[in-house]
Amino acid sequence: MVGRERVTVAPGVDPPDHVKRRQQSGETRHFTSMFLTCAQLKEAGGFDESLRFGDEVDLVKRLVETGSDLIVLDEIVVDRRIFSDSLTFEPEVDRSLFGLLRRRVARQRS
């Protein structure tokens, strides 16, 4: 089960591309606030600690691949604020999310 997020961008700040894409798509699911059982976490292989960004997205993909249902609450559970010095401004974020897609395709092929 995951909740939704509300993103607020500080005045005068141009948000990073990945935030703009989420805003344009209307995507509001927030994977870092989820409820699951220990058994589900173990079956999916847990968090990949080698990932600096996107480990929660990778985990959700693996949870779904192992048969867990993804239930999205309508309630906002995270209020995220974007400032010019936010960690998510690093270009590495977009690169790491692309890497998650490559890993998912590799899992599907094996």
Side-chain angles (χ1 to χ4, degrees):
M1 179 175 356
V2 299
R4 298 200 176 276
E5 74 174 346
R6 174 179 37 233
V7 177
T8 305
V9 179
V13 173
D14 185 31
D17 289 342
H18 66 278
V19 172
K20 287 179 189 176
R21 284 192 300 273
R22 283 181 58 87
Q23 289 176 323
Q24 291 167 351
S25 72
E27 176 60 67
T28 61
R29 292 177 293 178
H30 195 269
F31 297 122
T32 59
S33 56
M34 63 181 115
F35 298 97
L36 60 146
T37 66
C38 288
Q40 287 173 300
L41 184 62
K42 287 177 184 175
E43 184 176 354
F47 283 98
D48 184 341
E49 295 179 13
S50 70
L51 298 171
R52 182 167 178 209
F53 301 102
D55 55 335
E56 73 282 356
V57 176
D58 178 63
L59 175 61
V60 168
K61 300 287 186 197
R62 288 185 285 115
L63 284 165
V64 171
E65 289 170 1
T66 57
S68 293
D69 292 324
L70 180 62
I71 300 168
V72 181
L73 301 174
D74 287 332
E75 291 83 12
I76 292 173
V77 297
V78 173
D79 194 357
R80 184 172 164 203
R81 293 173 287 183
I82 305 291
F83 298 94
S84 60
D85 58 351
S86 295
L87 179 63
T88 53
F89 262 74
E90 295 183 27
E92 184 179 335
V93 173
D94 281 339
R95 285 194 302 275
S96 67
L97 294 178
F98 183 70
L100 292 177
L101 292 174
R102 284 195 312 264
R103 292 167 64 126
R104 181 176 183 210
V105 168
R107 281 196 307 272
Q108 290 174 337
R109 290 181 177 166
S110 59

